[in-house]
C-alpha cells in the first residue's frame, strides 16, 4: 500500500511509559498535543519494545529484528553496518532520511541509512558501558544510582534540556529548509528526545504545572507483591535498598517526571506547528513512540531493565487521518513492527531472505484485524543470563535459566500481582509457553555469545583508553561557506531563496 510517498515524521521520547499519558488513561499528565494526535490517529493500546533498554530497543526498532539476532545486547553494542534499517529501505525508495537527536549508535558507523544527522548524540559511542556477567556483584561506575530520585526537583538547566532544545531547534530548521529547497523527495525525519528519561529534574515552568497533592504514589508498593530475583538485582544495582527513598522524594521524582512529559509534549507541539507552517501537515504521517517505559517507583523499582508493564510497554500512535480513520488497537504489537510497516507504506518490500521478527501494522491501521504478539529480550546489566518475554492474548510469560518463570494474566491481573508460574496447579498455558521458548531460542548459546561479546568489548575499550584516544561520537558538520549570506550567489538571490513563503 503506497500512500503517495507521504512524508514521515517520527516523534520519539525516551523512557516514556504509556501508563502516564492521558491517551492511555492517566488523569494527571498534561499532553494536549499527544492527546490530539491520539484522538485523530490510530492508538495501539498494547505496544511493546523489543528490549527495556535504550540501545537494544532502538536498534530493534530500526531493523525489525530481535536484539539477539543482530548482536544488540546492551547499551555499548554496535549495530552491524550491513543490517538494513528502515532508513536504508526508505532511502532506497526515494526518501530523504534525516535524524535529529538520540539513537544511541555505538562504534564507527553513526548513520545507519540516514542521509543527514543534525545533532550529535547525548550518550557516548564507545564501549565504556559494557556490562560484565562474569562479575555480577561488581558495581560499575556508569550504573544508575538513586541520586535521580533523592535529588529530584526543579532546575534551571540540565544536560538533557541542552540536548533536547538543540534537537528540536535543528529539526524545525530542517523542516523550514526542506520547504525552501527544490528537492522534491519525500522526507522521513526522526526527532528523538531524551526526556522524560531520568534524572528527574525539570524547570519550574513545568514543575509548577502540578501540585504535590495531585501526584499519585506508586500503585503497587514493593511490600504488596512477591519479590523476584531480577527485581532484587536491579534494586541492588541501583542501590535502591541501601539508599531508600522517602515518600517525599518519591513524590518529587514522580512530579518531575510528569513535568518532563509536559516538556516533551511542548516539543512535539513545536514540531507539529512547524509542519503546519510549512504546508506539510496534510501529507505527513506522524508517529509518536518511545524506546521503552519507566517504572517510576512501582514495586520499588526505577528506570527500566525489567519486563513489568510500566517498563516494557510503549506508546505507539500513528496519525494519518487522511488515510486511516481514528480507532484503537487492542492486540499486542511491537516496535519490531515499525520497519515492515514503513517499508510497505513507502511502496517497497522487505528484502528477500531477510527474516524479520516484526510484522506490518497495515491490517491494524485499516482496522481489519492483524497479529497479536510481542517478543522481547533483556541481555543487559543486572541479568545473570538471557531473559526473554512472550506477550500474546491475555498472557505475558517471562523466562530465564537464572530465575523462576513469571506468567501473568494481564486481563484479570493488570498490575501483575499474581505470578501464575509460582502456583503448583498444572497450567497447560505455562507448559506451552515453556516449549515455545525452547523452540524459539537457544538460550545457552545466546548466553555464551553475550559473555564473549562483553569480554571482547571490555578489552577493546580498555586498550583504546591508552595513548591517543580517538572517539566515534558523531560530529555534525555545518558548511559555513553556505550559511546565511555569502558571495557564491547574488545578495538578492540569496535573500529571495531564504524567504518563506516566496514573494
Amino acid at each position: 500500500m503506497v500512500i503517495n510517498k507521504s512524508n514521515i515524521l517520527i516523534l520519539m521520547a525516551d523512557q516514556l511509559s504509556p501508563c502516564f499519558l492521558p491517551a492511555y488513561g492517566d488523569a494527571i499528565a498534561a499532553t494536549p498535543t499527544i492527546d490530539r494526535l491520539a484522538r485523530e490517529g490510530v492508538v495501539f493500546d498494547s505496544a511493546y519494545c523489543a528490549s527495556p533498554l535504550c540501545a537494544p530497543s532502538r536498534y530493534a526498532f530500526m531493523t525489525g529484528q530481535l536484539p539477539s539476532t543482530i548482536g544488540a545486547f546492551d547499551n555499548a553494542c554496535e549495530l552491524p553496518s550491513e543490517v538494513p534499517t528502515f532508513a536504508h529501505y526508505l532511502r532506497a525508495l526515494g526518501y530523504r532520511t534525516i535524524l535529529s537527536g538520540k539513537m544511541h549508535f555505538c562504534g564507527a558507523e553513526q548513520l545507519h541509512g540516514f542521509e543527514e544527522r543534525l545533532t550529535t548524540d547525548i550518550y557516548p559511542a564507545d564501549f565504556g558501558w559494557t556490562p560484565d556477567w562474569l562479575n555480577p556483584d561488581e558495581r560499575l561506575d556508569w550504573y544508575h544510582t538513586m541520586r535521580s530520585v533523592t535529588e529530584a526537583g526543579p532546575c534551571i538547566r540540565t544536560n538533557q534540556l541542552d540536548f533536547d532544545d538543540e534537537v528540536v531547534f535543528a529539526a524545525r530548521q530542517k523542516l523550514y529548509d526542506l520547504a525552501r529547497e527544490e528537492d522534491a523527495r519525500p522526507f522521513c525525519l526522526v526527532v528523538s528526545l531524551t526526556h522524560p528519561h531520568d534524572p528527574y529534574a525539570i524547570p519550574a515552568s513545568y514543575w509548577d504545572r502540578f501540585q504535590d497533592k495531585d501526584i499519585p504514589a506508586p500503585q503497587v508498593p514493593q511490600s504488596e507483591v512477591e519479590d523476584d530475583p531480577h527485581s532484587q538485582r536491579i534494586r541492588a544495582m541501583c542501590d535502591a535498598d541501601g539508599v531508600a527513598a522517602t515518600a517525599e522524594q518519591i513524590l518529587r521524582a514522580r512530579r518531575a517526571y510528569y513535568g518532563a512529559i509536559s516538556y516533551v509534549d511542548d516539543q512535539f507541539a513545536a514540531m507539529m506547528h512547524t509542519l503546519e507552517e510549512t504546508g506539510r501537515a496534510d501529507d505527513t504521517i506522524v508517529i509518536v513512540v518511545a524506546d521503552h517505559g519507566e517504572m517510576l517507583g512501582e514495586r520499588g523499582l526505577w528506570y527500566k531493565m525489567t519486563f513489568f508493564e510500566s517498563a516494557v510497554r510503549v506508546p505507539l500512535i500513528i496519525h494519518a487521518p487522511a488515510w486511516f480513520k481514528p480507532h484503537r488497537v487492542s492486540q499486542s504489537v511491537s516496535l519490531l513492527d515499525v520497519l515492515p510497516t514503513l517499508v510497505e507504506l513507502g511502496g517497497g518490500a522487505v528484502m528477500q531472505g531477510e527474516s524479520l521478527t516484526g510484522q506490518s501494522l497495515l491490517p491494524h491501521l485499516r482496522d481489519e484485524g492483524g497479529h497479536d504478539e510481542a517478543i522481547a529480550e533483556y541481555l543487559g546489566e543486572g541479568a545473570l543470563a538471557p531473559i526473554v518475554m512472550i506477550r500474546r492474548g491475555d498472557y505475558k510469560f517471562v523466562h530465564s535459566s537464572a530465575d523462576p518463570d513469571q506468567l501473568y494474566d494481564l486481563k484479570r491481573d493488570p498490575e501483575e500481582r499474581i505470578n501464575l508460574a509460582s502456583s503448583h496447579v498444572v497450567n497447560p498455558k505455562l507448559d506451552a509457553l515453556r516449549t515455545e521458548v525452547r523452540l524459539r531460542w537457544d538460550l545457552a548459546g545466546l548466553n555464551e555469545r553475550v559473555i564473549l561479546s562483553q569480554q571482547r568489548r571490555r578489552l577493546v575499550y580498555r586498550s583504546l583508553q591508552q595513548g591517543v584516544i580517538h572517539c566515534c561520537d558523531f560530529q555534525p558538520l555545518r558548511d559555513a561557506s553556505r550559511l546565511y549570506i555569502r558571495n557564491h550567489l547574488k545578495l538578492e538571490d540569496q535573500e529571495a531563496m531564504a524567504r518563506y513563503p516566496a514573494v
Side-chain angles (χ1 to χ4, degrees):
M1 177 181 185
V2 186
I3 303 186
N4 299 320
K5 285 290 177 69
S6 298
N7 303 305
I8 299 166
L9 174 62
I10 298 176
L11 301 175
M12 191 169 200
D14 192 335
Q15 209 158 294
L16 174 59
S17 173
C19 304
F20 304 102
L21 292 177
Y24 289 86
D26 181 84
I28 306 301
T31 55
T33 300
I34 296 175
D35 295 351
R36 178 177 70 84
L37 293 171
R39 284 194 307 271
E40 298 173 356
V42 181
V43 179
F44 291 83
D45 285 322
S46 187
Y48 290 81
C49 63
S51 181
L53 193 65
C54 296
S57 174
R58 290 165 182 270
Y59 295 1
F61 161 68
M62 289 206 64
T63 65
Q65 302 196 54
L66 282 169
S68 62
T69 304
I70 54 177
F73 305 135
D74 53 62
N75 274 343
C77 277
E78 290 181 287
L79 172 58
S81 297
E82 68 176 25
V83 177
T85 68
F86 64 69
H88 287 114
Y89 276 104
L90 291 176
R91 190 169 173 181
L93 290 167
Y95 278 78
R96 188 168 176 176
T97 54
I98 308 162
L99 169 63
S100 184
K102 175 181 176 180
M103 203 50 73
H104 217 310
F105 294 143
C106 290
E109 166 69 284
Q110 287 290 308
L111 291 174
H112 291 287
F114 287 108
E115 183 177 348
E116 300 174 75
R117 191 169 180 186
L118 308 181
T119 71
T120 190
D121 212 305
I122 191 169
Y123 288 153
D126 57 32
F127 296 155
W129 290 0
T130 303
D132 187 2
W133 285 5
L134 295 182
N135 295 286
D137 296 328
E138 179 185 4
R139 194 181 186 287
L140 301 175
D141 60 8
W142 48 267
Y143 280 177
H144 278 85
T145 71
M146 288 298 287
R147 287 184 62 179
S148 288
V149 181
T150 59
E151 298 176 3
C155 66
I156 295 176
R157 295 303 293 178
T158 64
N159 272 327
Q160 296 189 170
L161 288 164
D162 292 344
F163 182 77
D164 282 351
D165 283 357
E166 178 187 358
V167 167
V168 173
F169 176 85
R172 295 183 71 193
Q173 184 64 49
K174 178 53 65 173
L175 285 178
Y176 292 130
D177 291 343
L178 292 172
R180 293 180 292 190
E181 293 176 3
E182 295 181 354
D183 192 333
R185 290 179 295 167
F187 65 78
C188 174
L189 171 60
V190 179
V191 183
S192 182
L193 307 182
T194 191
H195 282 89
H197 192 291
D198 61 288
Y200 310 113
I202 201 69
S205 58
Y206 292 99
W207 175 266
D208 291 341
R209 294 188 186 187
F210 306 91
Q211 299 182 35
D212 286 352
K213 65 181 180 65
D214 297 325
I215 305 299
Q219 289 185 320
V220 185
Q222 181 182 347
S223 59
E224 292 185 5
V225 288
E226 178 184 356
D227 217 353
D228 65 276
H230 183 63
S231 294
Q232 293 172 7
R233 291 193 300 270
I234 294 297
R235 280 196 295 270
M237 190 182 73
C238 300
D239 200 21
D241 295 325
V243 183
T246 66
E248 180 183 2
Q249 290 169 335
I250 292 172
L251 183 149
R252 288 173 65 85
R254 290 169 70 90
R255 179 173 173 177
Y257 185 78
Y258 274 111
I261 292 174
S262 290
Y263 170 83
V264 168
D265 193 77
D266 280 359
Q267 308 319 304
F268 288 179
M271 292 305 307
M272 294 302 299
H273 177 67
T274 307
L275 201 63
E276 291 157 4
E277 279 188 314
T278 54
R280 301 295 183 88
D282 291 339
D283 66 344
T284 300
I285 299 169
V286 179
I287 300 175
V288 176
V289 72
D291 56 353
H292 51 72
E294 158 71 67
M295 289 303 293
L296 207 64
E298 299 292 337
R299 312 175 82 99
L301 298 171
W302 295 87
Y303 321 125
K304 57 269 186 176
M305 302 171 287
T306 175
F307 283 121
F308 289 116
E309 287 288 275
S310 193
V312 73
R313 268 184 67 215
V314 294
L316 179 58
I317 300 167
I318 298 181
H319 180 269
W323 301 284
F324 307 118
K325 69 179 188 331
H327 64 279
R328 303 188 79 96
V329 175
S330 61
Q331 295 98 321
S332 292
V333 300
S334 169
L335 293 188
L336 294 164
D337 303 329
V338 172
L339 179 144
T341 305
L342 293 180
V343 172
E344 188 171 358
L345 288 173
V350 173
M351 185 182 69
Q352 189 173 5
E354 191 76 283
S355 179
L356 301 185
T357 305
Q359 306 175 58
S360 175
L361 297 171
L362 259 293
H364 290 300
L365 292 174
R366 300 190 193 106
D367 203 9
E368 297 173 353
H371 65 281
D372 177 19
E373 178 181 274
I375 307 297
E377 304 168 335
Y378 183 72
L379 307 164
E381 57 267 24
L384 297 179
I387 308 174
V388 298
M389 182 200 84
I390 298 173
R391 173 75 171 94
R392 189 184 300 116
D394 296 338
Y395 292 91
K396 179 202 289 181
F397 180 59
V398 180
H399 173 83
S400 173
S401 63
D403 302 321
D405 286 339
Q406 295 170 273
L407 177 65
Y408 299 101
D409 182 339
L410 295 178
K411 182 176 181 179
R412 295 175 177 81
D413 178 28
E415 294 180 343
E416 300 170 286
R417 293 174 179 266
I418 303 170
N419 179 12
L420 300 175
S422 64
S423 170
H424 295 294
V425 177
V426 175
N427 189 328
K429 173 65 70 174
L430 180 60
D431 292 339
L433 287 165
R434 284 171 172 162
T435 298
E436 182 175 345
V437 166
R438 288 195 297 270
L439 295 174
R440 186 182 284 271
W441 284 279
D442 173 11
L443 292 181
L446 177 56
N447 187 75
E448 292 177 359
R449 287 174 53 210
V450 170
I451 292 175
L452 177 59
S453 172
Q454 290 176 352
Q455 298 312 302
R456 282 174 168 170
R457 286 179 286 133
R458 290 173 65 81
L459 172 61
V460 169
Y461 178 72
R462 288 196 305 271
S463 72
L464 295 182
Q465 299 311 297
Q466 308 304 312
V468 178
I469 299 175
H470 299 279
C471 297
C472 294
D473 304 291
F474 181 74
Q475 176 64 57
L477 299 177
R478 299 183 73 205
D479 184 357
S481 71
R482 293 294 187 269
L483 294 177
Y484 307 116
I485 297 171
R486 299 293 186 266
N487 282 327
H488 66 293
L489 293 173
K490 292 181 180 180
L491 174 61
E492 288 187 352
D493 290 343
Q494 293 181 70
E495 295 284 15
M497 289 169 59
R499 181 163 175 170
Y500 183 82
V503 177

